[in-house]
Amino acid sequence: MAGKSGIAPTFGLMQDWPLTLDKFIEHARRWHGTREIVSRFADGHIERRNYIQIYDDAMRISGALLANAIGIGDRVATLAMNSADHLSAWYGIAGIGALYHTLNPRLFQDQLVYIVNHADDRLIFADGMFAPILAALLPRCPRVRRVVFLTPPAQPVELPVPAVALKDFVAGHDGIYPWGQFDERSAAGLCYTSGTTGLPKGVMYSHRSNFLHAMTSIQPDVLNLSSADTILAIVPMFHANAWGLAFATPGIGANLILPGPCLDGASVHELIINENVTFAAGVPTVWLALLDYLDAQGLGLGSLKRVIIGGSAMPERMLHRFRERGVEVTHAWGMTEMSPMGTVCTLTPRIAALPFEEQVPYRMKQGRPLFTVDMRLVDEDGKVLPHDAKTVGHLQVRGPGVTRAYLGEDRDVLDAEGWFDTGDIATICPLGFMQITDRAKDVIKSGGEWISSLEIESAVSMHEKVALAAAIGVPHPKWAERPVLFLTLKPGEQGEPEEFITFLTGRIAKWWLPDAVYFLDEIPVGATGKVDKKKLRTMVTETEEGGLSAVNSE
Amino acid sequence: MAGKSGIAPTFGLMQDWPLTLDKFIEHARRWHGTREIVSRFADGHIERRNYIQIYDDAMRISGALLANAIGIGDRVATLAMNSADHLSAWYGIAGIGALYHTLNPRLFQDQLVYIVNHADDRLIFADGMFAPILAALLPRCPRVRRVVFLTPPAQPVELPVPAVALKDFVAGHDGIYPWGQFDERSAAGLCYTSGTTGLPKGVMYSHRSNFLHAMTSIQPDVLNLSSADTILAIVPMFHANAWGLAFATPGIGANLILPGPCLDGASVHELIINENVTFAAGVPTVWLALLDYLDAQGLGLGSLKRVIIGGSAMPERMLHRFRERGVEVTHAWGMTEMSPMGTVCTLTPRIAALPFEEQVPYRMKQGRPLFTVDMRLVDEDGKVLPHDAKTVGHLQVRGPGVTRAYLGEDRDVLDAEGWFDTGDIATICPLGFMQITDRAKDVIKSGGEWISSLEIESAVSMHEKVALAAAIGVPHPKWAERPVLFLTLKPGEQGEPEEFITFLTGRIAKWWLPDAVYFLDEIPVGATGKVDKKKLRTMVTETEEGGLSAVNSE
């Protein structure tokens, strides 16, 4: 807040206590000091720290940054997997009012170059495993002054700027540096969205927005996080703030387990069992790998009780596979522009009282809005649409965790009433459960009506041979667009287009049945693990030459 | 927030979404509209509303207030028990930037007169049962312009200002009135502390402080509130914001059960059973009445799972009596100046893993600080004291829910580092559990050491004959002070001082044993239900004449 200078006579008489992120780690240090932060590294070894150490390390990083002339508003990038050092770096950077800018190492080099330069990053904290990326990147990013390695590169690397190990970077900076002496609206973090269209766009979180989002995430109806939990954060810190876990977890004093780059089924299973994990958060692909591993090895999930799944829609079978192992799965939805959570599929008492099979249609929806998120559906003209589970519209959101503008763009992206258009197409049922039916850019418009690519994908994913499915619209002279379906089958499986059309018949509306089914060894995905439908559209136009199999094409 | 005019270039790019209280009821209306608010009235009848109706009623109240020239910063008093109309009044008042000022009907008339005039209350929403109080009060409060009755007075009453029923007050005000169009630091509520010493002091909550407190209270480690809960708010709304439940409950969309004035065991039990209450909040005296009733009638507690106890220290037997009925009791501590919660006794995983009997010493402490509350112990000179469970010191707190000044007083009550002295004396153990040992003004200083009156009271309360106990210090020529003990025995019980001294021997340090035990038919309590130790001290000086029994006096 602005401090006493801005106090009006009609204000309350409560303390001025700005919502800055240092409060989370300060609370953990003082009241949950011995709870553990466990990091896994590329070579499989484990390091254990507690919140007192995380605080001390973050303080040292702040000292070193200040000595390197980094201050309020400066951007410091991180190119790293989840680890205690990455966590300390966030707090050390944000504590002095600089911005942690998470780089997604899976982006294409051109995108990373654009992002680093656009953000004006001054310094990069990086895992050694990403040294080759840096070597390619930095000659094109002249304003980056220094690299700090959180973990050592496997081989010596030639970089155009000085590179130093973290312990050398912080050496001698053992003082107490002032944290949080700025307005809570100050920028704290930066994350670029990398859609498959257009240039990446920078979302700039404030201390306040991250703080409030984390406070909300802790609630029983959201992530339900308690000091008794041991939280496995599989979702990368470079993926939309790791869904706020880096703040919520010290805020409640839970143990935090950070898997580093080891996201294969065996590694994740081992961490869950050895660390007595109770709660885990990640995208569907990681869970798929874990569940397949458990099936193959005949293993269970120990003390794991709850899993939150977001990032992309959960296949229905995943719900059942976790349930068979005694784990409650909660579906969630959000986006980088929302800090990131928007809805969580917590059941209402009435739905929770139904038999499980009748709960499934609700559990497969993206869920109900968190308190601090408001949400509505509008049509193409901005008219508000009803919550009747049938009417499909553009999903808009509003709240303290929602972006109002992208970095470097002059204009607000909100409408006159402050609503942000998510780019998603959705329905909302009378009980308030929202269901994404498509991205606006992926929606298939056939004969004047919308076909949901997600519903086609979801339905065909129940076929036992299917590993991944993607439906897109292709131009059609009569219907404007018609759906076609791409499938990747499970290892060793073979199939004919007809059997999937037969499988879908009765599961979706007849006029939604794809006009063609194509098989790919691998469906192309972007850096955030989402299917690259733009590329798929290109592939369809290449069909004649590319020799992909097709049915039903007219 | 200050709006875009105050935006600095180093700020984040997230939405401006002020933390105003209207957001809670707006969220409930949109996303939990059909959840119920159930009110019980003096004659025992029940009324059911939902959040849509609460919102509509609050909106009408806003319209009527605006028509009565009430606006930003104006104070509107409520003199009422917990009910849906009282809740709507809070939201209707705060929505337009006026202040809901809760009056405690149990205060002495002189205190109420002082408070109403000091607060400059313009209008009073009152239950009809309090008409006699108003009739005595209002001739001495010339600036009050109008009374609105939420429930009708039993008999016609003569008041010096116009009085109107709520439905007539709001008639014709069916528009949509702008809510929350002001800075979130604006005052929202007012509650006076009424210690047994000095004049009452006004604590003025802001929208922001109430908002953040409610967000914290929802967390699993605090009140653990979910949309699946049915919450019985026994703690009166005039008792320190009803511990934030009026905001937290619509924020999560739980059912809210408001017992009105019917706080006897039979009424409370009936509500718990009929409404399937899962969570209840109240002070020890109400629970004592309920438990005695259950014992006498051989009844259980149905679906009740959790009870939070605050306001004064919980007797240990209460913990066991609830546990025998399958109800988890959580001890909490706070004060009017803290919005009000400061600590909640949620166990750490290590303590929770112990056998119940070994948990008891921890469960009897006041607990660990919520996130957003910081806390420390200092000695008389302000030196910070260790968390070793033994060192006794002055308890200080800091946070967004903590007051910085009292209404009408120029000076901040904080020290240079922003700490508020609670007036409590406490210890903190290495695991972070705080235990109140005394009010600073009640502490017994004997031979240069502090004796905890609370510990003496707690120990002797385990004696089966004891209904209520109070220990105070009396002047002593050699030791400066020595403890004496007042007891009220249960109905039909008789006792001699010696048996209680014998009972205490071995349970507390030998030099803490009271020099005298006095029996009273009723130990005097103040308006907030706390023992009036000031009065007890007067009674001891009257001992010689008053003929109270005494032992061990030298």
Side-chain angles (χ1 to χ4, degrees), chain B residues 457-478:
Chain B
E457 292 158 8
S458 176
V460 80
S461 292
M462 292 298 284
H463 191 294
E464 57 180 11
K465 289 183 181 175
V466 172
L468 189 59
I472 62 166
V474 295
H476 188 281
K478 179 173 176 190

Side-chain angles (χ1 to χ4, degrees), chain B residues 406-482:
Chain B
Y406 293 104
L407 179 61
E409 295 187 4
D410 266 349
R411 59 185 190 85
D412 275 12
V413 290
L414 310 182
D415 73 9
E417 288 171 294
W419 292 96
F420 174 83
D421 192 295
T422 63
D424 280 320
I425 304 296
T427 61
I428 300 176
C429 83
L431 296 176
F433 288 81
M434 185 275 287
Q435 181 158 25
I436 303 280
T437 61
D438 247 314
R439 289 292 293 166
K441 63 183 169 49
D442 293 336
V443 78
I444 303 165
K445 284 177 193 151
S446 187
E449 301 276 352
W450 283 354
I451 293 175
S452 163
S453 63
L454 273 183
E455 277 192 50
I456 299 174
E457 292 158 8
S458 176
V460 80
S461 292
M462 292 298 284
H463 191 294
E464 57 180 11
K465 289 183 181 175
V466 172
L468 189 59
I472 62 166
V474 295
H476 188 281
K478 179 173 176 190
W479 303 111
E481 277 189 337
R482 286 294 301 156

